[in-house]
């Protein structure tokens, strides 16, 4: 028969190595930007591993763990799923905290630059160089790549190709992409609206109806040539003949 769910003790199944961000990010408010970014990467790596644990159990964060009469299901590893979910929630909170602190660190750094006396020629300290390097890396480092492009899709029309690495997608970059969820959010907000208007009216409203997204990519060079930096304009839309708004598959780098 089993036991009712509320009598099950907290599971003791190991949740894997801790990222370290949970304690460090709260206690050390003066942590350098490059260290905050490193913490963010560790958290995202662990979240990816934990998500694969849920996938291996064919479970999600919302999968019911009890039967209709309140007993634990015997077809899944309830203890492991509960432990994994708890860790994911904890790390998501850490990730939000890290993103806020990275944003504050960037604002503080740029504010300090703008407040310097114009007649003074400032010397660049090693800490400033670290921040500048981290800032540039955070905004220009590829964070996703194109894994597939459907023929006739908005993505193909914009010039995207398989293998292109995304450096910026609208306002989304390596720092704030939140496991690519911000890309989906940007696509939804930028969907091109289609109206059945006369050609004259359509031309008059073309600029209003189209909400193109600027996509900065890095394309691998051919025949020994260096990688090419490109800026493309992508307009998400329905009714192009396939599924989704873009017609391409985007995966983390």
């Amino acid at each position: 028969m089993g036991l009712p769910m509320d009598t099950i003790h907290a599971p003791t199944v190991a949740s894997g190595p801790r990222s370290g961000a949970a304690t460090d990010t709260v206690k050390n408010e003066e942590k350098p930007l490059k260290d905050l970014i490193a913490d963010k990467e560790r958290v995202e790596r662990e979240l990816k591993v934990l998500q694969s644990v849920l996938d291996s159990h064919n479970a999600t964060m919302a999968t019911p763990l009890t039967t209709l009469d309140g007993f634990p299901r015997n077809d899944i590893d309830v203890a492991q799923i509960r432990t994994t979910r708890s860790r994911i929630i904890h790390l998501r909170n850490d990730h939000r905290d890290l993103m806020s602190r990275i944003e504050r660190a960037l604002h503080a750094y740029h504010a300090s630059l703008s407040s310097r006396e114009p007649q003074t020629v400032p010397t660049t300290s090693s800490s400033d160089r670290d921040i500048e390097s981290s800032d540039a890396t955070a905004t220009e480092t590829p964070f996703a790549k194109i894994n597939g492009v459907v023929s006739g899709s908005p993505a193909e029309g914009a010039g995207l190709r398989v293998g292109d690495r995304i450096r910026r997608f609208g306002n989304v970059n390596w720092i704030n992409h939140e496991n690519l969820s911000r890309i989906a959010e940007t696509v939804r907000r930028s969907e091109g609206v289609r109206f059945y208007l006369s050609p004259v009216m359509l031309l008059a409203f073309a600029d209003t109806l189209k909400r193109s997204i600027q996509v900065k990519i890095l394309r691998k060079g051919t025949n020994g040539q260096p990688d090419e930096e490109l800026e493309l304009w992508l307009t998400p839309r329905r009714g192009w003949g396939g599924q989704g708004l873009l017609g391409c598959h985007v995966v983390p780098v």
Side-chain angles (χ1 to χ4, degrees), residues 7-9 44 63 71 82 88 91 93 96 108 115 119 145 152 156 164 166 173-174 197 211 221 236 241:
T7 65
I8 294 181
H9 297 293
E44 289 176 346
T63 300
F71 289 92
R82 289 179 63 198
I88 287 175
L91 287 174
N93 291 334
R96 280 193 292 269
S115 64
Q119 66 272 19
K145 67 179 179 180
E156 184 187 51
D164 286 347
I166 299 175
N173 56 44
W174 183 73
L197 304 174
R211 299 181 180 180

Side-chain angles (χ1 to χ4, degrees), residues 173-193:
N173 56 44
W174 183 73
I175 287 181
N176 63 11
H177 66 85
E178 297 181 9
N179 292 320
L180 305 188
S181 64
R182 292 284 299 279
I183 286 184
E185 179 183 332
T186 300
V187 169
R188 286 193 297 270
R189 289 201 311 265
S190 304
E191 179 182 353
V193 183

Side-chain angles (χ1 to χ4, degrees), residues 76-88:
I76 56 176
D77 190 339
V78 173
Q80 179 67 75
I81 294 173
R82 289 179 63 198
T83 301
T84 304
R85 283 177 173 178
S86 176
R87 182 63 179 155
I88 287 175

Side-chain angles (χ1 to χ4, degrees), residues 2 26 29 34 38 42 59 65 73 75 77 99-100 142 176 178 184 190 192 215 218 230:
V26 173
E29 287 296 333
K34 62 178 181 178
R42 285 195 295 270
L65 300 183
R73 292 172 55 180
D75 60 326
D77 190 339
M99 294 306 301
S100 296
N176 63 11
E178 297 181 9
S190 304
V215 183
L218 198 62
L230 299 173

